Amino acid sequence: LARALRARRRERDALPYVRRAVAGGDSSGATLVLLGALLAAAGQLTEAERTYQAAARDTALAPLAVYRRARLLARRGDPGAVAALSGFAARFPTDTGAPTALYLAADLSTEPGARAPAPVRYADLIARFPADLRSSQARVRLAALELAVHQGGAGAVPALVGGLGDASWSVRLAAARLAPGVRDQRLL
């Protein structure tokens, strides 16, 4: 019943049913993931985070629960969000959400005081998942960050992404596209 209500966008109506199931002893990962989603939709983010953490004990649903918890931390602006997103990608590197988790961690690392700067995190994403769509977006972000730092002097982009091998050509091309007034042959 709770799943049917959720499908009709009636999360608040579904929440009591799932809470009742959990109180009655249903602590399966599937039920806890559903409860976490309903709590998050209802704006009860702290309780949703704890619920996802409990759901992560179910090995079959651990990747989903860990990923959703990390995304929830990011949504809340929690300082542990970057570590949670990076940790998810490290723990479940073959999960389809791993590139997105690294991309979000890099985006959050643009905040002042981040332990690892965004360019380092974008470069990690590109190195680990070179063919993923998020890597393409990361290349453009790297180029944009470098251009912003050097106010149009995109010649330093290769130094920023040194060690990326064949991927660095994409960064140079993106930098050239972002700075049409720059005629630096080292970019092409």
Side-chain angles (χ1 to χ4, degrees):
L1 180 61
R3 290 186 197 282
L5 288 170
R6 182 171 183 236
R8 290 194 169 104
R9 300 277 183 213
R10 295 178 53 193
E11 287 91 353
R12 288 190 188 274
D13 295 336
L15 191 54
Y17 292 104
V18 180
R19 280 192 168 153
R20 198 172 308 132
V22 171
D26 184 354
S27 61
S28 69
T31 301
L32 292 174
V33 166
L34 175 59
L35 179 58
L38 294 172
L39 290 166
Q44 299 174 27
L45 303 182
T46 303
E47 190 176 349
E49 180 205 345
R50 285 194 301 263
T51 304
Y52 283 135
Q53 207 163 14
R57 289 188 293 250
D58 183 331
T59 55
L61 291 172
L64 177 62
V66 171
Y67 180 72
R68 287 194 178 173
R69 178 183 173 270
R71 293 287 303 252
L72 194 65
L73 291 173
R75 181 175 159 193
R76 283 182 22 202
D78 189 288
V82 172
L85 290 162
S86 298
F88 166 78
R91 185 172 166 195
F92 305 105
T94 59
D95 190 274
T96 57
T100 301
L102 288 175
Y103 185 82
L104 291 173
D107 265 1
L108 292 173
S109 296
T110 59
E111 305 286 322
R115 282 187 16 183
V120 172
R121 292 191 184 276
Y122 286 130
D124 180 41
L125 167 61
I126 293 165
R128 290 172 60 184
F129 303 98
D132 191 84
L133 174 64
R134 292 294 187 175
S135 290
S136 295
Q137 294 169 332
R139 288 181 190 101
V140 172
R141 290 282 176 104
L142 270 173
L145 286 170
E146 183 61 21
L147 287 172
V149 168
H150 295 284
Q151 298 177 347
V157 172
L160 176 69
V161 294
L164 292 182
D166 293 338
S168 63
W169 72 269
S170 296
V171 176
R172 292 184 193 130
L173 183 59
R177 288 182 180 151
L178 288 172
V182 175
R183 296 287 181 244
D184 189 343
Q185 292 302 312
R186 292 175 292 172
L187 293 174
L188 304 175

